[in-house]
Amino acid sequence: MNLILLGPPGAGKGTQAKLLAERRGIPQISTGDMLRAAVKAGTPLGREAQAIMERGELVPDEIVIGLFHDRSSQADAAGGFILDGFPRTVTQAEALRKILSERGRRIDRVVSIDVAEDELVGRIVGRRTCRSCQAMYHVKASPPKVAGRCDRCGGELHQRADDNEDTVRERLRVYRSQTEPLIAYYDREGVVRRVPGTGPIEPIFAAIRAAIEA
Ligand code: AP5
Ligand code: MG
């Protein structure tokens, strides 16, 4: 099954994609995580992406399309994948369609996670991420047992460079103008299901699972 989790920054795409990946045994493909890994490794791509991401703008389409193409060609994605943060523009959605159709595949379901803007800002500013395993926490909603340390692997928790209020506002603006139109784009194919993304994580996960089956 090939799934897309769509939603604004902070909607819970990463949180829910990790749970789904575990449950379904297919990988989460997050272009944001891949770009952050490139920034950390200091590759030419990472150097190009870093300033763009810190401004809250979108990295050029051809770069993220290439990242998706390479990652989705790996053996563990042969049985499907969960896309988190890709596609983000109509150009990316068209490229995704072409790549999948060449493989005789299609997008089976798009789950759009809805959360009000004020809540998104609070979530993002309070988010902490593990440097080692990328597990996510929130200082209030889901704090780690030991401050600053990952429950799962003991790694150091840090705040993403783009998780400050000014950048979040820009990311939200970019989402509304460039990515939200993808809901209508996929709605034409009848594959979109909208799920409210507010409240505890587990019931949202259950609603997403139900939306995938529906
Ligand atoms: P990306 O990494 O994709 O970030 P994003 O879309 O801005 O989304 P986030 O990761 O901030 O939020 P999320 O929906 O994953 O929420 P999460 O589960 O973490 O992209 C970053 C940048 O990379 C982009 O701005 C762009 O520059 C570039 N980029 C990436 N992909 C690209 C592409 N395809 N094209 C071009 N550029 C691209 O949850 C957020 C917080 O809330 C966490 O602290 C979590 O613990 C908490 N939380 C989760 N669920 C709940 C809940 N139900 N209640 C309370 N708190 C919750
Ligand atoms: Mg994310």
Side-chain angles (χ1 to χ4, degrees), residues 37-55:
V39 170
K40 192 175 165 195
T43 63
L45 173 109
R47 285 198 294 275
E48 185 180 346
Q50 185 166 21
I52 301 172
M53 293 170 78
E54 285 178 12
R55 287 197 300 271

